[in-house]
Amino acid sequence: MVYPLAEQRLAQQHGAAHDVNPVQDEATIVSLQAFAQAIVDAHQGMALMTGGALDLATLPGTLLDSRSGHQLLKEIGIKGRYYTKIANGKTYVIFKGYPAVREVLKGTRYLSSSPKVVAFGIGPEAIRAGGRANAVIMITCYVALDIMQFIMSDTQLYSELFANIIVDVAIGAVAIGAGMAAAAAGALLAGAITTVAIPALAITAGAIVVGMAVGMALGQLDKMFGLREKLSAALRWTGEAVARGLQKTGQVIREAQVSMRQKVEELERRSNRFFYNLERETIWHFGGPDLYNQIYRR
């Protein structure tokens, strides 16, 4: 049994809930839009302040590389040195200095595939693994950020969205590749120079700086030659050409269907006429004029 006062109170609470929920939903949507806009503004602002060297997509990879470099320098010291050397078809990472001051890398020579070496981000295997991880992070971030910019914009076309994604990912991939090449070249150069080995700080910092410099240079080339605009125009033209091609193909298919249907109907009419005439001739010759006139009265 529900008492009148309790029923009235429940009705009031239900009505109040209906009155509040739309406002709360609207506030949630507005806050999400503001949050997305803040992320986009931070992304564009960071790229503007650094000249294209850093943004929210390349920052995570740079921080990860810096963290690996910091751990390595903490392990072998600021003046610590290492280089890679190939012997008997195997790649080794050789450390210079006193092994006693190191906590983990207490040996002087490790295979480049050793988990201890890979954990500190040195050696060809570690460089490739780090490059793959940075590439995945960079691509994911660029796609998400470009889609967010597309959603927040009222004038951007789909062709511009795809052009931004392609150019951003291409520039980031080349920058990551340049940083990986710089790290590998630094380690090899340190092994070639036996009298003065290159400090690990120089190798780590050089790889990061080279990656940022290449990204900045490619960003400037993008602005100078308008690569995004040209690629967007090419994608738009390609899309329109494909649409026209599909439309033309559909028209040809429809015309072929109509022509085929007409031919089938014409063949059906001729067949009916042939069998009809055959039937009349057969009845005339075998049934005689009386039967013929009886069936086909005029």
Side-chain angles (χ1 to χ4, degrees):
M1 178 177 181
V2 180
Y3 293 96
L5 290 178
E7 186 176 3
Q8 183 179 0
R9 189 178 298 109
L10 290 173
Q12 291 176 350
Q13 292 177 355
H14 185 69
H18 278 287
D19 292 339
V20 172
N21 283 338
V23 178
Q24 291 178 343
D25 293 341
E26 184 178 357
T28 302
I29 294 174
V30 171
S31 62
L32 288 176
Q33 291 179 347
F35 177 71
Q37 187 63 54
I39 293 178
V40 171
D41 292 341
H43 172 66
Q44 296 176 342
M46 184 178 295
L48 183 62
M49 287 187 297
T50 60
L54 280 177
D55 51 34
L56 291 185
T58 56
L59 182 61
T62 304
L63 293 177
L64 288 175
D65 292 339
S66 301
R67 180 175 177 271
S68 299
H70 172 72
Q71 292 177 341
L72 177 61
L73 296 177
K74 184 179 179 181
E75 174 69 14
I76 66 178
I78 298 296
K79 296 182 179 180
R81 296 167 296 173
Y82 75 91
Y83 60 90
T84 60
K85 184 177 181 179
I86 300 176
N88 298 325
K90 298 181 179 179
T91 303
Y92 294 90
V93 178
I94 301 173
F95 295 92
K96 307 292 288 186
Y98 300 101
V101 300
R102 300 195 287 264
E103 296 182 2
V104 179
L105 302 172
K106 295 185 178 297
T108 58
R109 187 178 72 168
Y110 292 89
L111 280 172
S112 61
S113 59
S114 171
K116 291 183 178 180
V117 172
V118 174
F120 284 96
I122 55 179
E125 283 79 5
I127 292 175
R128 286 193 292 269
R132 287 193 296 268
N134 289 346
V136 170
I137 295 173
M138 179 268 299
I139 292 174
T140 303
C141 290
Y142 268 133
V143 171
L145 287 166
D146 286 335
I147 290 176
M148 289 174 64
Q149 293 184 57
F150 174 77
I151 294 174
M152 300 301 294
S153 175
D154 296 331
T155 58
Q156 196 177 52
L157 303 175
Y158 280 102
S159 59
E160 295 174 340
L161 169 63
F162 293 129
N164 288 335
I165 292 176
I166 292 172
V167 173
D168 288 336
V169 170
I171 291 177
V174 173
I176 290 174
M180 294 169 57
L188 291 174
L189 181 61
I193 303 176
T194 56
T195 56
V196 182
I198 301 177
L201 176 62
I203 297 176
T204 302
I208 295 175
V209 171
V210 167
M212 293 174 60
V214 170
M216 184 185 303
L218 292 176
Q220 294 299 323
L221 289 176
D222 171 33
K223 294 179 181 179
M224 184 181 302
F225 294 101
L227 298 180
R228 295 173 192 270
E229 290 77 9
K230 293 180 180 178
L231 180 58
S232 175
L235 290 174
R236 185 167 58 254
W237 180 86
T238 302
E240 293 174 353
V242 171
R244 288 194 298 270
L246 292 175
Q247 184 178 6
K248 184 65 177 178
T249 302
Q251 182 179 356
V252 171
I253 293 175
R254 287 192 298 271
E255 292 175 355
Q257 290 176 341
V258 172
S259 177
M260 182 63 68
R261 185 166 57 252
Q262 291 174 349
K263 290 181 179 179
V264 170
E265 292 174 354
E266 179 64 21
L267 179 61
E268 184 179 359
R269 285 194 297 270
R270 291 183 178 182
S271 299
N272 292 335
R273 189 181 305 113
F274 169 77
F275 286 111
Y276 178 73
N277 293 332
L278 178 62
E279 177 187 339
R280 296 184 64 170
E281 292 290 336
T282 302
I283 293 175
W284 174 267
H285 288 289
F286 291 98
D290 295 335
L291 180 60
Y292 180 86
N293 294 329
Q294 184 180 355
I295 296 175
Y296 302 104
R297 292 180 180 178
R298 296 182 179 181

